[in-house]
Amino acid sequence: MSAFKTLDDLGDVTGKVALVRVDLNLPMQEGTVTDDTRIRAAAPTILELSEKGAKVLLLAHFGRPKGERVSTQSLSMVVGAVEKTLGKEVMFVPEIAGPVVAQSIGILRAGDIAILENTRFWKGEEKNDPELVKAIAANADFYVNDAFSAAHRAHATTEGLAHVLPAYAGRSMQAELEALDKALGNPEKPVAAVVGGAKVSSKLDVLKHLVKQVDHLIIGGGMANTFLAAKGVDVGKSLCEHDLADTANEILAIAEASGCTVHLPYDVVVSKEFAANPPSLRTCNVHEVAADEMILDAGPNAVETLGDVLKTCRTLVWNGPLGAFEMVPFDAATVALAKTAAALTAEGSLVSVAGGGDTVSALNHAGVAQDFSYISTAGGAFLEWMEGKELPGVAALSA
Ligand code: ADP
Ligand code: MG
């Protein structure tokens, strides 16, 4: 992993002004924050800087105001929720640069915290405009990036600032980078990857990258159907991208050339209707799917084999459920394999890292999220990292 500075590398910051990029893109309903997970993720960094005596200015985006002031997307709405989670008073500043910010800094005492306005109210944010970067930086002494979830974007406050101010990774960013490095950067071998979910087309680059990196690639969900069909299996009415047969075969060929074993289910759970507990539910061999049936989960024999694969591995990276887990009983394969992974992690034989919106819900549903070594909640950034891409926000911290 390329080297980046952390809060451990800060000298005396008493009275110094810190610009801290965090993720405050919080779920809201009628002006009220409904889930403070992202605030809790940023809290250790904010409180540590505050305790060290810095004046802490939080920078974040909210929604997609596209460079205009949109009053319903002002970050003033999250101040109460942030105060509650931090247990500290937080000032709101309706600008991100200029004299209003400078005056506010004059009022703040060492250790005080302020939230600046939604960075996306300014067009220069998403354009990474050097003038805006300079104007924001002018009020500060150093920059901390604690928003891994925004690190796949080269914006003024996620990337630009790191080039003009002394830049540090916050605690949450640091934990994410260390976990991801253990999973794919510098993993203990053998490595298994589970890639599931609805469509191959949404994860082509992930698959292409992983087959060259891992020892076992476990393909599940709707995307397994595309691979099965490409191998000549009749998948009936299953969700399947028949036009991607050539691509699927190409990926299988790269896997073979790279010594990666690809696992596809050989028994499956099928039904005629896309519904929970359907009357036509049955389990069969992949070669026995009828023309009017669809595959909605991996079968019990496949899951047992996959569990045995994980037992031989030291590292697991997981994105995408093995079946249509929102409907019972098509959650069974995902839940069973997740429990095996959690147990192996608890025993200390497996490092397990998972990410993706539906994956996190599926692991919560299985009741094992806290047993994985690391769960990333950074949707887009996590996937780009699984594609092997360098994230601009991370690269800028190491420059
Ligand atoms: P993530 O958000 O973790 O990246 P995806 O969005 O790629 O995951 O995929 C999750 C979706 O895939 C879920 O809504 C799930 O119901 C669907 N899915 C999984 N297996 C199947 C299947 N066999 N048929 C239809 N949909 C499926
Ligand atoms: Mg999803």
Side-chain angles (χ1 to χ4, degrees), residues 199-218:
K199 290 185 167 178
V200 169
S201 52
S202 64
K203 293 181 184 171
L204 266 183
D205 292 336
V206 172
L207 291 166
K208 283 184 180 159
H209 178 62
L210 286 180
V211 288
K212 288 187 233 141
Q213 302 292 319
V214 305
D215 305 287
H216 295 275
L217 177 63
I218 295 168

Side-chain angles (χ1 to χ4, degrees), residues 61-102:
H61 74 272
F62 182 78
R64 296 178 183 275
K66 303 219 163 92
E68 314 272 336
R69 271 189 195 268
V70 179
S71 61
T72 53
Q73 295 184 345
S74 169
L75 272 180
S76 60
M77 294 185 307
V78 310
V79 171
V82 174
E83 286 184 324
K84 197 166 154 216
T85 304
L86 295 181
K88 278 190 157 242
E89 212 177 299
V90 173
M91 182 189 204
F92 178 70
V93 181
E95 298 287 338
I96 55 173
V100 172
V101 176

Side-chain angles (χ1 to χ4, degrees), residues 2-320:
S2 38
F4 52 86
K5 291 200 188 90
T6 71
L7 302 191
D8 297 326
D9 300 302
L10 284 170
D12 180 13
V13 295
T14 313
K16 295 257 171 72
V17 178
L19 283 169
V20 186
R21 183 57 159 94
V22 291
D23 183 350
L24 292 179
N25 203 15
L26 306 169
M28 306 265 285
Q29 246 164 34
E30 286 153 27
T32 310
V33 173
T34 54
D35 178 357
D36 75 339
T37 306
R38 287 173 169 164
I39 309 176
R40 280 187 281 119
T45 295
I46 300 170
L47 293 173
E48 181 173 344
L49 288 167
S50 164
E51 274 151 30
K52 286 183 166 152
K55 298 184 178 185
V56 184
L57 305 185
L58 304 182
L59 285 168
H61 74 272
F62 182 78
R64 296 178 183 275
K66 303 219 163 92
E68 314 272 336
R69 271 189 195 268
V70 179
S71 61
T72 53
Q73 295 184 345
S74 169
L75 272 180
S76 60
M77 294 185 307
V78 310
V79 171
V82 174
E83 286 184 324
K84 197 166 154 216
T85 304
L86 295 181
K88 278 190 157 242
E89 212 177 299
V90 173
M91 182 189 204
F92 178 70
V93 181
E95 298 287 338
I96 55 173
V100 172
V101 176
Q103 282 156 18
S104 305
I105 290 167
I107 297 166
L108 293 173
R109 292 153 305 175
D112 282 353
I113 301 163
I115 298 181
L116 307 189
E117 184 55 285
N118 186 349
T119 55
R120 289 195 185 164
F121 283 5
W122 286 267
K123 288 198 170 64
E125 163 72 331
E126 294 185 61
K127 290 190 187 134
N128 203 355
D129 173 12
E131 290 305 313
L132 181 65
V133 170
K134 220 161 70 185
I136 302 171
N139 285 314
D141 297 300
F142 65 102
Y143 167 75
V144 176
N145 191 346
D146 209 26
F148 177 81
S149 57
H152 55 315
R153 307 222 156 91
H155 293 173
T157 65
T158 63
E159 201 268 353
L161 284 172
H163 295 295
V164 298
L165 286 171
Y168 304 84
R171 295 303 181 196
S172 159
M173 171 75 90
Q174 181 187 350
E176 181 102 22
L177 293 177
E178 285 169 358
L180 298 189
D181 192 57
K182 259 195 216 154
L184 270 189
N186 260 313
E188 254 192 75
K189 294 193 153 238
V191 184
V194 173
V195 182
K199 290 185 167 178
V200 169
S201 52
S202 64
K203 293 181 184 171
L204 266 183
D205 292 336
V206 172
L207 291 166
K208 283 184 180 159
H209 178 62
L210 286 180
V211 288
K212 288 187 233 141
Q213 302 292 319
V214 305
D215 305 287
H216 295 275
L217 177 63
I218 295 168
I219 303 179
M223 45 208 307
N225 303 338
T226 300
F227 278 87
L228 289 168
K231 293 177 89 167
V233 175
D234 185 350
V235 297
K237 270 201 316 171
S238 302
L239 173 65
C240 178
E241 293 170 288
H242 291 283
D243 54 322
L244 286 180
D246 289 346
T247 312
N249 282 324
E250 245 170 67
I251 291 171
L252 293 173
I254 303 172
E256 177 145 13
S258 326
C260 167
T261 310
V262 176
H263 302 266
L264 289 163
Y266 50 83
D267 64 337
V268 286
V269 184
V270 300
S271 102
K272 289 181 185 163
E273 45 285 293
F274 192 75
N277 293 313
S280 59
L281 179 76
R282 71 182 188 106
T283 299
C284 66
N285 184 283
V286 280
H287 296 286
E288 295 165 357
V289 179
D292 59 349
E293 287 179 320
M294 56 197 135
I295 302 172
L296 290 172
D297 200 13
N301 293 330
V303 173
E304 204 178 314
T305 306
L306 298 177
D308 289 341
V309 170
L310 294 192
K311 283 175 197 150
T312 69
C313 291
R314 304 287 294 166
T315 303
L316 166 68
V317 43
W318 186 331
N319 169 261

Side-chain angles (χ1 to χ4, degrees), residues 321-373:
L322 297 181
F325 75 100
E326 298 95 334
M327 298 182 301
V328 175
F330 307 111
D331 59 337
T334 306
V335 168
L337 195 65
K339 285 190 169 157
T340 303
L344 293 169
T345 307
E347 278 170 22
S349 69
L350 192 69
V351 170
S352 52
V353 173
D358 292 291
T359 309
V360 176
S361 332
L363 296 180
N364 280 323
H365 167 73
V368 299
Q370 69 290 344
D371 302 324
F372 270 57
S373 311

